[in-house]
Amino acid sequence: MGKAVKKEPIVSALQQYQDRFRSVVDAASAFENHDTQGQKLLYAALEQVFEFGEEIRQDAPAFESFLEVHGKTLNKVTKDNPYNALIELAFAGNRSKSWRSEISNVLRLASDINVKESLSQWLEAGGGISGRYEEAVDHFARPATTKAQKLR
């Protein structure tokens, strides 16, 4: 006499997809949590760069010596925006030049308008780096020369 085989219940295809999709949602949630943490860490780092920059730029000889020790020069661009050099020194070389430029211009704007709250709060209130960068572009835009205006 043969053994009776117990059949496994058949799970619908929809239920299988529902179960599999839970892992998709978990992965997306893990990314979002990581992304949020990453943004907080970036803001904290930028706040430190900003505070350091605001302090050292008040002591021009010390700033120039600091840059020289790190292989940088206090040229016209760096005098205009010291955060160009500080961001490049603070962050690893794998960041793009455009990323570093965007960040340094946001910090320059914060300095220029004399932000009163913490840099993190200011960034969050203004739409993050990208929102504040748009403001920086408008703030530092050079007016068109008379000749260029006539050509329009």
Side-chain angles (χ1 to χ4, degrees), residues 21-22 48 50 80 82 87 96 103 130:
F21 193 70
R22 271 193 275 271
Q48 288 189 30
F50 182 69
D80 189 39
I87 290 296
S96 71
I103 297 293
S130 58

Side-chain angles (χ1 to χ4, degrees), residues 75-119:
N75 57 25
K76 183 184 181 312
V77 172
T78 306
K79 283 180 185 175
D80 189 39
N81 185 357
Y83 296 105
N84 285 327
L86 295 176
I87 290 296
E88 188 174 339
L89 291 171
F91 289 91
N94 61 349
R95 295 289 180 170
S96 71
K97 188 173 182 176
S98 63
W99 183 88
R100 292 190 314 263
S101 176
E102 185 174 322
I103 297 293
S104 64
N105 279 303
V106 166
L107 295 181
R108 178 181 171 207
L109 173 66
S111 177
D112 204 53
I113 65 173
N114 199 18
V115 169
K116 298 294 183 206
E117 68 256 58
S118 75
L119 187 73

Side-chain angles (χ1 to χ4, degrees), residues 13-48:
L14 176 60
Q15 187 60 48
Q16 287 178 353
Y17 285 120
Q18 294 281 56
D19 293 343
R20 283 181 54 201
F21 193 70
R22 271 193 275 271
S23 67
V24 171
V25 171
D26 290 345
S29 179
F31 166 76
E32 288 174 337
N33 289 336
H34 180 268
D35 200 38
T36 299
Q37 278 302 106
Q39 182 176 337
K40 287 178 183 175
L41 291 172
L42 173 61
Y43 287 5
L46 293 178
E47 199 160 315
Q48 288 189 30

Side-chain angles (χ1 to χ4, degrees), residues 124-140:
E124 288 174 10
I129 301 292
S130 58
R132 293 300 186 183
Y133 180 67
E134 287 180 26
E135 286 180 42
V137 168
D138 290 341
H139 182 80
F140 295 115

